[in-house]
Amino acid sequence: MLAFLLRRLVGLIVTVWLASLVVFTVLQLVPGDPALLMLGVNAQPDTLAALRGQMGLDQPILTRYLRWAGALLRGDLGVSLTYARPVAELVAERLAVTLPLALLSLALSTALALPLGLLAAARRGRGGDWAVLGFAQLGVSMPSFWIAILLILVFSLTLHWFPAGGFPGWSGGVGPALHALVLPALALALPEAAILTRVTRTAVLDTLGEDHVRTARAKGVGRAAVLLRHALPNALIPVATVLGLQISFLVAGAVVVENVFTLPGLGRLLYQAIGQRDLIVVQGVVVLLALFVVLVNALVDIACALVDPRPSAATKGASP
Amino acid sequence: MSTAKRRFTLAAVAAAFAHLALAAGSQAVMAQPRTDLVVGMALEPPHLDPTAGAAGAIKEVTYANLFEPLLRVDADGALIPGLAERWSVSEDGLTYRFSLRPNAKFHDGSAADSAAVKFTLDRARAADSVNAQKSYFAPIAQVDTPDPHTAVVTLSRPDGLFLIHMASGDAAIVGPGSAATNKRTPVGTGPFRFDRWVAGDRVVLVRNPDYDGVKPKLDRVTFRFISDPAAQVAALKAGDIDAFTLFSTYEALPEFRNDPRFTVMVGSTEGETILSTNNARKPFDDVRVRRAMAHAIDRKTLIEGVLYGNGVAIGSHFPPHREGYVDLTGMYPYDPAKAKALLAEAGYPNGFDTTLRLPPPPYARRGGELVAAMLAEVGIRARIEPVEWAAWLDKTFKGKDYDLTLIAHTEPLDIDIYARPDYYFNYRSERFNALNEELNRTQDAAKRNALYGEEQRVLAEDAVNGFLFMLPSVTVQKAGLAGMWVNRPIQANDVTAVSWK
């Protein structure tokens, strides 16, 4: 177990370092001078030079990388070129939107998927199963941005129950803030729930065919008890793996949904920073996201290894 | 695990619904006219210091509301008092005397006196200045402060545009003690002061109780930033915002016009939209080719297609609403046959291949498609190259490496860019430069307007660029709102005179 953890840790560090290198290099190749972007089409050459000096853009590339990477090791993400604020501060501010959004949609999708998947497995081949599979098929085929637009159309424009977008900030109170997050969370959750429903159904059906479940049945354990006590816990391993993968997708999906609902989340910060050539912000956010994804995957693997410590499962979890 | 999560979800949904019920209840009680305003804008300002960035959004939030220059531009484009109550110009046009409002204060309580004016102007023209319009301050030789309420600016050379430039957001008067932190916590002298900024979403301003001028009717103004066109329409229809300025989803306008809950205002901006042409590159160095292109473009169709009819054509680089405008739209009537003849005369009987680079704004992308189709009619095969804004600035504007591009130039009275030797049009004309120098020496309004007319004629005759149309200033707002600007003589959302009926 210790060797396994160590291996994961080394992999984690290498991945994040590679991500930082790739992102830094790519940003040097992409055209777009942040100073020029700030000064616009009436920029005078000497003003441009002065601003580039202030931004540190006149330094050689290697110096800039070493300086940035060095600060990164000390946990300092640098200062944004456009916003003139520490990147860590910007990220923290945006996480206060993205994190609750992701958690809310994760909770929503799990709350929808587990019962539906169980139901479908219990009613395999019958009407309930078909209904759930139909819902899942629909959910998988509808992209979240489209669901987002539908939700806005129904709940904001027609019923006026929820705002069509925007975020008042937590300083404006928890109620209004949650109010603004409900529709985006739903838009993110539905496609995820659809996938998760299918995974749950398949996983439960698989475990239902296993020996210990058959033994339990033979002993006369009731249907519901077999499902909940014997089939479900074992089915949770593949479900958790998919859930872990989905967290990465949630972050990507959040970029799209944050843009539809104009939520000031991390995804939108990244999107805008790319447009503004705010290299420091882009670098910082990408490295953080890489760290996050790698960390989540590692945690899922460790969780699986803990639930099912058989060595075969551990190696399966460790391979990428 | 899942039960706990489910419980959390239920709690969240319940909380949301409870809030909903409260909101519905409070709405029923409200009866008096509102004193708050939510203005929608497409772009978020990167920061809130108008003297340190070109982004139009900075001025749209801060101009006149938070920061005041010495002079201000009003809704009609006229110069009105700002921080200076009065001003006078010497005979030779070299000395400007500004008398400041005696009781003006910055929001932090410090005095907005002539020392602040001197500090502001000296800072903007210093060697390490990062003012986006540093050239506005270049003619200044020195700034004197004979007393706290008087600032005297001496120029090294006459500059006919000096007062107009001093009325821009870039010349907003800032305090010596707060200049360094204005980007995040702006401190100005205006009738509103900064309250909070929810990054990525909104900036909130509140009424400045200590303002020494005319007090605004609103006590709270929220600027919300919504870049996605569909989200803009949704926010308006859901009632989340009260007015959206520089609204550019023109295809949605008929819907808003037919809805009694909304008013649509279409005014003018300073945005000359042009088919920028690289005058130094073959075959565009031949005036006959440029004239052929001018004849090949059907502006009426273009305005229909791009702006859904909400815009006016131009024949040179000057807005029709300004004094000194000369209507030159008839100089090159839409005439594909004439265009082909001119091309043949220039040695291109079979036309030629070229590229048309398009930045992201919808007017450019959509306009570019139409222009390319029109040029193709006369044999000019333009390959469309969509690029993002940063790349456009780098390659096209700074690198001057392009054939054709389509862009709106939004600075007021920026016809002088044609006199710059290194500007990206690569245009050089002794005639134009001479006119521009004379304009700089001239104070008399009538003479200035005549000179502007001459300049417009020279540009049109040389067909420097394809002169297409003015970008409209479209505002969609709730019925019952009064005082929003119809026209946009300067990049600003001046809400100091806005009220609810």
Side-chain angles (χ1 to χ4, degrees):
Chain A
M1 195 68 189
L2 199 67
F4 166 69
L5 284 179
L6 211 66
R7 213 164 46 222
R8 297 281 350 180
L9 190 71
V10 171
L12 202 146
I13 292 168
V14 170
T15 311
V16 173
W17 175 67
L18 279 177
S20 87
L21 204 62
V22 167
V23 141
F24 187 87
T25 317
V26 166
L27 283 178
Q28 303 311 313
L29 299 177
V30 175
D33 176 350
L36 182 60
L37 210 59
M38 287 187 80
L39 291 176
V41 294
N42 271 5
Q44 304 281 319
D46 59 331
T47 328
L48 206 58
L51 188 58
R52 289 179 62 87
Q54 286 188 13
M55 289 174 156
L57 292 170
D58 50 352
Q59 307 286 330
I61 289 179
L62 192 65
T63 316
R64 278 191 282 150
Y65 176 73
L66 289 179
R67 215 178 263 180
W68 172 67
L72 202 64
L73 283 179
R74 295 192 303 273
D76 177 5
L77 291 172
V79 175
S80 156
L81 299 178
T82 43
Y83 296 103
R85 294 176 63 200
V87 176
E89 213 177 288
L90 289 172
V91 167
E93 221 168 55
R94 302 307 181 100
L95 272 181
V97 180
T98 300
L99 221 54
L101 174 66
L103 284 178
L104 199 59
S105 64
L106 205 62
L108 275 175
S109 62
T110 320
L112 272 172
L114 285 187
L116 283 179
L118 261 180
L119 178 88
R123 313 241 152 206
R124 183 184 190 173
R126 282 187 275 170
D129 188 22
W130 288 114
V132 169
L133 283 180
F135 158 78
Q137 189 55 46
L138 206 66
V140 172
S141 350
M142 289 195 300
S144 51
F145 79 87
W146 196 70
I147 297 179
I149 292 170
L150 274 189
L151 290 174
I152 292 176
L153 202 64
V154 175
F155 293 103
S156 303
L157 300 193
T158 312
L159 296 171
H160 294 281
W161 285 6
F162 295 95
F167 188 70
W170 293 102
S171 56
V174 176
L178 276 180
H179 193 191
L181 288 182
V182 173
L183 290 189
L186 211 57
L188 263 179
L190 286 178
E192 306 290 333
I195 297 170
L196 211 54
T197 302
R198 293 218 295 213
V199 172
T200 310
R201 176 182 176 273
T202 313
V204 171
L205 285 179
D206 282 352
T207 45
L208 279 180
E210 276 178 24
D211 293 342
H212 71 281
V213 174
R214 245 179 283 155
T215 316
R217 266 200 189 141
K219 279 184 180 164
V221 179
R223 269 185 65 89
V226 166
L227 269 176
L228 289 177
R229 245 180 262 146
H230 296 274
L232 188 61
N234 286 303
L236 280 182
I237 294 173
V239 170
T241 312
V242 171
L243 209 61
L245 283 174
Q246 279 190 328
I247 291 175
S248 322
F249 280 117
L250 269 181
V251 174
V255 178
V256 177
V257 168
E258 280 168 9
N259 274 305
V260 176
F261 284 97
T262 60
L263 289 177
L266 199 59
R268 205 143 137 262
L269 174 70
L270 182 62
Y271 181 82
Q272 285 174 332
I274 292 171
Q276 289 160 339
R277 286 297 181 277
D278 197 334
L279 313 178
I280 307 285
V281 170
V282 177
Q283 286 161 195
V285 173
V286 170
V287 167
L288 273 185
L289 285 180
L291 183 70
F292 173 74
V293 169
V294 176
L295 214 59
V296 165
N297 284 346
L299 284 178
V300 168
D301 286 351
I302 292 167
C304 288
L306 285 178
V307 170
D308 185 1
R310 280 176 295 183
S312 66
T315 29
K316 207 166 77 188
S319 63
Chain B
M1 179 173 84
S2 68
T3 7
K5 271 186 183 165
R6 203 177 299 147
R7 221 172 269 151
F8 172 72
T9 315
L10 283 175
V13 172
F17 275 96
H19 165 72
L20 206 75
L22 280 176
S26 64
Q27 235 158 30
V29 184
M30 242 165 38
Q32 307 106 309
R34 289 172 53 190
T35 54
D36 67 318
L37 176 73
V38 183
V39 179
M41 287 167 47
L43 297 174
E44 177 176 28
H47 58 77
L48 292 175
D49 183 353
T51 67
I58 302 173
K59 281 125 194 167
E60 285 174 30
V61 170
T62 61
Y63 187 83
N65 304 325
L66 259 175
F67 286 104
E68 297 174 305
L70 287 166
L71 285 66
R72 267 170 58 189
V73 171
D74 72 3
D76 303 317
L79 290 178
I80 57 169
L83 187 62
E85 294 181 307
R86 294 181 311 278
W87 57 90
S88 59
V89 189
S90 67
E91 278 293 308
D92 59 2
L94 288 176
T95 310
Y96 290 72
R97 175 177 286 266
F98 299 95
S99 307
L100 311 181
R101 291 201 313 263
N103 299 317
K105 275 191 170 54
F106 284 101
H107 300 147
D108 61 2
S110 58
D113 53 12
S114 56
V117 173
K118 181 174 169 55
F119 168 79
T120 299
L121 298 183
D122 286 346
R123 173 175 173 260
R125 66 198 184 96
D128 62 348
S129 156
V130 292
N131 193 298
Q133 307 293 347
K134 201 172 167 183
S135 61
Y136 286 6
F137 308 90
I140 298 177
Q142 71 182 67
V143 184
D144 295 304
T145 55
D147 67 72
H149 307 310
T150 311
V152 179
V153 180
T154 313
L155 304 190
S156 56
R157 55 178 160 86
D159 178 2
L161 285 177
F162 186 68
L163 280 179
I164 289 171
H165 287 161
M166 287 308 104
S168 71
D170 306 278
I173 302 303
V174 296
S178 48
T181 49
N182 275 340
K183 282 185 172 174
R184 286 306 301 169
T185 46
V187 172
T189 60
F192 291 99
R193 54 192 183 81
F194 175 75
D195 180 42
R196 66 192 183 109
W197 185 349
V198 180
D201 192 76
R202 65 190 67 192
V203 167
V204 183
L205 311 182
V206 291
R207 182 161 39 198
N208 168 18
D210 304 324
Y211 189 60
D212 59 319
V214 181
K215 296 215 174 357
K217 299 224 172 59
L218 301 171
D219 56 22
R220 171 179 295 268
V221 184
T222 305
F223 290 96
R224 278 200 45 196
F225 314 114
I226 305 176
S227 53
D228 181 64
Q232 295 170 358
V233 174
L236 273 165
K237 288 195 174 168
D240 297 351
I241 53 178
D242 302 314
F244 205 101
T245 58
L246 286 187
F247 186 78
S248 62
T249 313
Y250 306 112
E251 57 269 38
L253 289 180
E255 229 182 312
F256 285 113
R257 285 196 171 106
N258 290 330
D259 190 331
R261 291 179 298 160
F262 298 101
T263 312
V264 175
M265 304 191 295
V266 178
S268 55
T269 65
E270 295 285 322
E272 295 91 0
T273 310
I274 58 178
L275 179 69
S276 307
T277 306
N278 192 342
N279 279 244
R281 192 173 277 188
K282 273 187 180 312
F284 307 109
D285 56 346
D286 187 330
V287 70
R288 289 169 298 187
V289 171
R290 300 198 301 267
R291 285 180 181 155
M293 292 199 297
H295 278 299
I297 294 168
D298 177 2
R299 294 196 198 86
K300 196 168 172 296
T301 306
L302 199 60
I303 291 169
E304 271 310 314
V306 179
L307 308 173
Y308 290 76
N310 299 287
V312 286
I314 47 169
S316 189
H317 197 102
F318 212 76
H321 59 259
R322 285 241 180 224
E323 277 183 61
Y325 170 75
V326 186
D327 186 356
L328 297 165
T329 48
M331 195 183 266
Y332 303 100
Y334 175 56
D335 189 346
K338 183 95 185 274
K340 278 186 192 161
L342 275 167
L343 281 179
E345 203 186 308
Y348 300 96
N350 302 316
F352 56 86
D353 292 284
T354 186
T355 56
L356 171 56
R357 191 173 295 147
L358 302 178
Y363 72 79
R365 292 276 162 89
R366 210 176 273 171
E369 299 275 349
L370 286 171
V371 165
M374 289 169 185
L375 291 179
E377 289 284 308
V378 301
I380 301 175
R381 296 167 295 274
R383 195 168 56 81
I384 287 178
E385 207 180 280
V387 292
E388 44 161 352
W389 187 232
W392 186 91
L393 277 173
D394 243 21
K395 262 173 106 175
T396 313
F397 180 72
K398 193 171 156 201
K400 304 184 198 88
D401 176 17
Y402 75 107
D403 294 334
L404 299 169
T405 184
L406 203 155
I407 189 86
H409 282 254
T410 52
E411 287 298 325
L413 286 172
D414 56 359
I415 196 168
D416 62 310
I417 54 180
Y418 290 84
R420 290 195 196 169
D422 54 354
Y423 211 63
Y424 78 113
F425 309 141
N426 285 319
Y427 171 64
R428 264 164 214 132
S429 160
E430 293 301 325
R431 237 175 109 205
F432 187 88
N433 291 352
L435 283 170
N436 203 56
E437 272 164 38
E438 201 182 333
L439 192 62
N440 275 337
R441 286 194 301 268
T442 310
Q443 292 288 330
D444 180 70
K447 276 187 200 148
R448 286 186 62 86
N449 286 335
L451 285 167
Y452 273 132
E454 278 305 300
E455 288 197 347
Q456 291 168 59
R457 271 191 204 94
V458 172
L459 297 185
E461 275 164 25
D462 286 347
V464 184
N465 294 310
F467 300 107
L468 308 176
F469 52 78
M470 295 302 297
L471 272 190
S473 163
V474 177
T475 307
V476 180
Q477 63 181 37
K478 281 186 185 159
L481 190 66
M484 295 290 292
W485 282 14
V486 178
N487 297 318
R488 176 75 68 130
I490 195 166
Q491 286 178 325
N493 283 319
D494 180 345
V495 295
T496 55
V498 173
S499 64
W500 290 94
K501 275 183 265 186

